[in-house]
Amino acid sequence: MTDKIKLADGAGGQLMDKLIKQKILKYFGKESTSAEIPLSMLDDSAVIDDIVFTTDSHTVQPIIFPGGDLGSLAVAGTVNDVSVMGAKPIALSSGFIVEEGLSIDIFEKIVNSMSKVSKQANAPIVTGDTKVVEKGAIQEFMINTSGIGKRTKLLDDNIKEVKRYRSFDKRWLLDSNLKNGDVIILSGNIGEHGIALMSFREGYGFETRIKSDIAPINGLMDKVLNVRGIVSSKDPTRGGLSNTVNEFSEKSNVGIILGEDSIPIPTGVRSACDMLGIDPLEIGNEGKVVLGVVKEKAEEVLKEIKKHPLGKNAAIIGRATDEIKGVVLETTVGGKRNLHKPIGDPVPRIC
Ligand code: MG
């Protein structure tokens, strides 16, 4: 029997890593060697000739949910992947695949959401494509968005400042840039997007008032870059915070210690996770950023994030260190546990 693709192979965890490395990079990885940041680095975006370029397909269920919809998700997700490289998003594409039978009103609502978020992020949708497929070929509506971004003086000045404190030979905010001593900052509450979607689906037997955190974070990124001292940044989407810090640790070849108490988890998210037996650290977010910052600038960066509407619950959650390997969570009761990349996603179809 031949192996078949499983849902978990696309869920952002260890199984997806394996599929990408064994079945995709084997073919595509070799074609992208002229890129400054090639596909094989598996960062949030690629960089070629100083153009930051990323793409994302969105297959969320349901397509309208508390705090957002497929359209706001598609635009914010792509804007954020460009922004966390340290670039300014300048244009987006929109590729629609619609299932025959979708209500025109719902279609229009989602397109309108895309327009609103794109205006908010100041990243216009400049090219697109629409296909309609037979009923049953896909579920309702899927959107692919690509985005391009460019280098700004904010990023250059940020890098100059980093170099005042430690050696730094990178030109973008990559997952691989952390070093011993850097501080990890999270911009706000985690778990809201995944739990909002899950609690809204039928059959889980619980309700919460939690809304998705979907938001374009490029405005916030501009603010923190202006404070300067940022070395890495990543949006904790599929696989959650756990996946993000493990990517930092693996790619930077540095240990990361996180303080469990310092990670902002809303009560509603925590109780939903307890009930479902899932880890809030593994749940996807759509309006958050995890930053690596030189320690001398950490407090100043945190203060700036807290001033921003998206950053009220921001916190310093850990530090990079050569004392350990991998990611260690120091627990409330003084214990320590290794934090691994999730195998799959505890909440499927959320992005
Ligand atoms: Mg990302």
Side-chain angles (χ1 to χ4, degrees):
M1 200 181 81
T2 50
D3 284 345
K4 291 187 174 167
I5 302 254
K6 299 177 292 296
L7 263 181
D9 288 326
Q14 290 179 31
L15 292 171
M16 193 171 90
D17 261 11
K18 201 172 135 196
L19 184 75
I20 291 173
K21 284 174 188 156
Q22 294 181 358
K23 304 294 179 198
I24 299 178
L25 289 187
K26 181 176 161 187
Y27 301 97
F28 293 172
K30 297 188 179 75
E31 295 163 10
S32 54
T33 45
S34 61
E36 180 184 349
I37 308 298
L39 177 66
S40 59
M41 284 179 73
L42 300 178
D43 219 303
D44 297 283
S45 296
V47 181
I48 184 156
D49 287 345
D50 258 9
I51 297 164
V52 174
F53 183 29
T54 193
T55 192
D56 210 338
S57 297
H58 304 269
T59 68
V60 67
Q61 242 333 287
I63 56 177
I64 297 172
F65 47 85
D69 59 39
L70 176 65
S72 55
L73 176 71
V75 172
T78 295
V79 162
N80 294 350
D81 274 338
V82 171
S83 309
V84 294
M85 299 296 284
K88 175 185 165 53
I90 53 166
L92 305 172
S93 74
S94 132
F96 294 155
I97 305 178
V98 190
E99 184 193 26
E100 179 186 16
L102 181 74
S103 129
I104 291 276
D105 284 352
I106 291 178
F107 179 77
E108 188 172 358
K109 179 178 162 49
I110 288 173
V111 176
N112 187 29
S113 286
M114 291 180 78
S115 157
K116 281 185 189 157
V117 180
S118 130
K119 283 194 186 103
Q120 192 189 344
N122 202 15
I125 296 164
V126 296
T127 185
D129 175 57
T130 303
K131 297 284 190 308
V132 179
V133 295
E134 319 73 332
K135 194 148 189 63
I138 61 155
Q139 198 175 0
E140 295 185 283
F141 195 1
M142 291 180 180
I143 301 178
N144 174 277
T145 39
S146 297
I148 55 171
K150 65 175 187 184
R151 207 173 175 84
T152 64
K153 191 170 179 298
L154 275 178
L155 178 61
D156 288 330
D157 291 346
N158 170 72
I159 290 174
K160 263 182 223 157
E161 179 84 2
V162 169
K163 286 176 176 168
R164 288 184 53 207
Y165 300 102
R166 70 162 175 82
S167 64
F168 191 82
D169 57 2
K170 307 292 181 59
R171 297 181 69 245
W172 305 93
L173 306 183
L174 308 180
D175 299 345
S176 53
N177 292 357
L178 286 171
K179 278 189 182 164
N180 181 47
D182 292 337
V183 168
I184 312 289
I185 297 178
L186 169 63
S187 67
N189 289 345
I190 55 162
E192 291 164 334
H193 177 67
I195 293 300
L197 267 150
M198 196 160 196
S199 63
F200 198 59
R201 289 179 193 160
E202 287 176 48
Y204 283 98
F206 73 98
E207 276 177 53
T208 66
R209 306 183 113 193
I210 294 166
K211 285 189 180 152
S212 167
D213 63 341
I214 292 177
I217 56 163
N218 54 328
L220 176 61
M221 284 302 296
D222 284 351
K223 295 280 181 198
V224 298
L225 284 172
N226 195 42
V227 177
R228 306 174 191 179
I230 315 298
V231 297
S232 292
S233 79
K234 194 169 188 66
D235 49 340
T237 54
R238 265 181 307 179
L241 178 65
S242 185
N243 196 62
T244 295
V245 287
N246 271 287
E247 290 274 315
F248 277 169
S249 169
E250 257 177 53
K251 292 178 182 168
S252 298
N253 196 22
V254 69
I256 292 178
I257 297 179
L258 296 183
E260 190 174 35
D261 286 346
S262 58
I263 301 170
I265 304 172
T267 320
V269 168
R270 203 180 280 283
S271 43
C273 285
D274 284 348
M275 197 161 74
L276 297 164
I278 56 179
D279 185 345
L281 304 190
E282 295 187 358
I283 297 178
N285 312 277
E286 292 293 341
K288 296 295 171 327
V289 61
V290 186
L291 299 166
V293 183
V294 292
K295 59 179 181 299
E296 292 84 355
K297 297 289 287 187
E299 286 297 338
E300 208 182 321
V301 169
L302 178 66
K303 215 169 131 188
E304 186 66 30
I305 301 174
K306 280 175 166 291
K307 278 196 249 166
H308 193 277
L310 296 178
K312 287 193 287 288
N313 298 303
I316 290 176
I317 58 162
R319 63 190 169 89
T321 174
D322 286 334
E323 293 154 28
I324 58 153
K325 294 254 177 263
V327 181
V328 167
L329 190 68
E330 291 184 338
T331 62
T332 323
V333 288
K336 285 184 182 167
R337 73 172 165 102
N338 293 313
L339 192 68
H340 298 291
K341 262 190 191 181
I343 307 281
D345 196 319
V347 193
R349 298 284 302 271
I350 63 161
C351 61

